[in-house]
Amino acid sequence: MMQGKKAFIFGVLNDYSLGWHIAKQLHEHGCETAFSHMPGEKFERRVVKAVAPFDPRFLTPCDVTNDADIAAAFQTAGEKFGTFDILVHSIAFAPADTFEKPFLETSRESWRTALDVSAYSLVALARAALPLMNPGGSIVTLTYHAAEKYIPNYNMMAVAKAGLECSVRYLAAELGRHPKHIRVNAVSAGAIKTLAASGTGDINSMIEHYQQKAPLPWEDGPTDVGKSALYLLSDLASGVTGEIHYVDGGYNTVGW
Ligand code: NAD
């Protein structure tokens, strides 16, 4: 399904990462892959090992809070890929104390950091990607239900996800009308054990909660997320943009 397509994927840390599961689906369907990693040898080593099964075209360092890093990453993409079809944004961060303290205690600095890394980065990456993206290209980001409803401890990350989801709609409107007709969508994933999720609170109880309440069994969330992202990134979703697509076993549809 993805033969001849090329994907630039941001946000793989290890083989638990949702970005990794999206890459797996893309790779299995014939897509070429390339990855960013946080700057530093320790991160590079981890990511090189994790993505080895996908035989990536290149890896490049990029801290998304640094404009020079973003420019350098896309310069590398231009050199190695020429053009590409798919951008995956699977990145989020908020300072640890924002998950522990009451929301009322959120500092200006924590607000700024969470929004910068978790929401503004989508806009910055989309802008840098546009000149290199092929017509009909597709961008997918990852969000969470806390953007819409109160979830204990999520605090600043919830606010950042609300900003991210709104950014998806604005980017979709502008890039859809751009001559390249680029689509922009978000997958809203249910609770899944990853490094980022472990920092947000008691992820095991959240997963149990999904398993008890969701209409469908919530047993292989990472694969479910990978498959739905594959659909949104493929031509099967050619008429779909600006969507927040829930992949949570239906959890968001129940009211108890
Ligand atoms: P993860 O820890 O595997 O991935 C988070 C990634 O963000 C890592 O690769 C990390 O290096 C990267 N990152 C953080 N700060 C960065 C920066 N300044 N520059 C560049 N990269 C940076 O965890 P994950 O759960 O796979 O998270 C991926 C996305 O999925 C996030 O947006 C997260 O909010 C979202 N999500 C996760 C869940 C879940 O339950 N795991 C649910 C819904 C949405």
Side-chain angles (χ1 to χ4, degrees):
M1 191 159 67
M2 306 303 281
Q3 213 73 45
K5 303 265 188 196
K6 291 179 244 173
F8 196 6
I9 298 164
F10 286 72
V12 173
L13 183 64
N14 52 39
D15 57 8
Y16 289 89
S17 298
L18 299 187
W20 188 92
H21 289 274
I22 295 170
K24 179 170 185 278
Q25 293 295 329
L26 290 170
H27 175 73
E28 284 175 4
H29 286 82
C31 188
E32 267 196 86
T33 57
F35 298 86
S36 78
H37 60 81
M38 280 292 277
E41 216 179 293
K42 193 182 75 184
F43 286 111
E44 184 178 3
R45 248 184 288 125
R46 267 174 107 162
V47 180
V48 164
K49 192 171 162 214
V51 302
F54 311 136
D55 194 17
R57 181 77 82 87
F58 64 91
L59 275 85
T60 185
C62 183
D63 176 340
V64 293
T65 63
N66 183 325
D67 288 333
D69 275 13
I70 294 176
F74 284 90
Q75 187 174 342
T76 304
E79 287 161 10
K80 306 274 188 188
F81 260 167
T83 58
F84 61 92
D85 308 279
I86 286 164
L87 177 69
V88 176
H89 172 276
S90 188
I91 287 174
F93 174 79
D97 66 329
T98 59
F99 300 107
E100 290 151 13
K101 286 189 195 161
F103 181 64
L104 193 63
E105 303 300 325
T106 305
S107 68
R108 196 182 297 276
E109 185 54 23
S110 294
W111 179 289
R112 193 196 60 73
T113 301
L115 264 294
D116 187 6
V117 180
S118 316
Y120 178 72
S121 60
L122 175 67
V123 182
L125 295 187
R127 187 170 55 241
L130 186 60
L132 298 176
M133 285 189 80
N134 291 321
S138 179
I139 300 175
V140 159
T141 185
L142 275 298
T143 185
Y144 185 53
H145 194 36
E148 281 186 53
K149 303 282 182 194
Y150 170 77
I151 309 260
N153 302 328
Y154 227 69
N155 300 348
M156 253 334 285
M157 190 56 82
V159 176
K161 290 303 190 193
L164 179 74
E165 292 186 8
C166 191
S167 305
V168 165
R169 290 185 284 274
Y170 274 76
L171 289 172
E174 287 188 6
L175 300 188
R177 287 172 181 269
H178 184 277
K180 289 189 175 178
H181 307 304
I182 305 292
R183 297 180 297 104
V184 187
N185 292 288
V187 168
S188 185
I192 292 168
K193 195 159 182 158
T194 62
L195 195 73
S198 302
T200 61
D202 186 355
I203 184 65
N204 291 329
S205 343
M206 280 303 289
I207 292 169
E208 265 173 45
H209 188 67
Y210 272 74
Q211 286 167 343
Q212 282 162 13
K213 303 288 185 191
L216 291 170
W218 187 239
E219 282 162 2
D220 192 5
T223 302
D224 294 334
V225 166
K227 289 197 292 191
S228 291
L230 171 69
Y231 151 71
L232 288 171
L233 292 168
S234 79
D235 290 342
L236 290 178
S238 55
V240 180
T241 198
E243 286 292 328
I244 309 302
H245 182 68
Y246 274 89
V247 183
D248 64 349
Y251 172 82
N252 74 98
T253 66
V254 300
W256 66 297

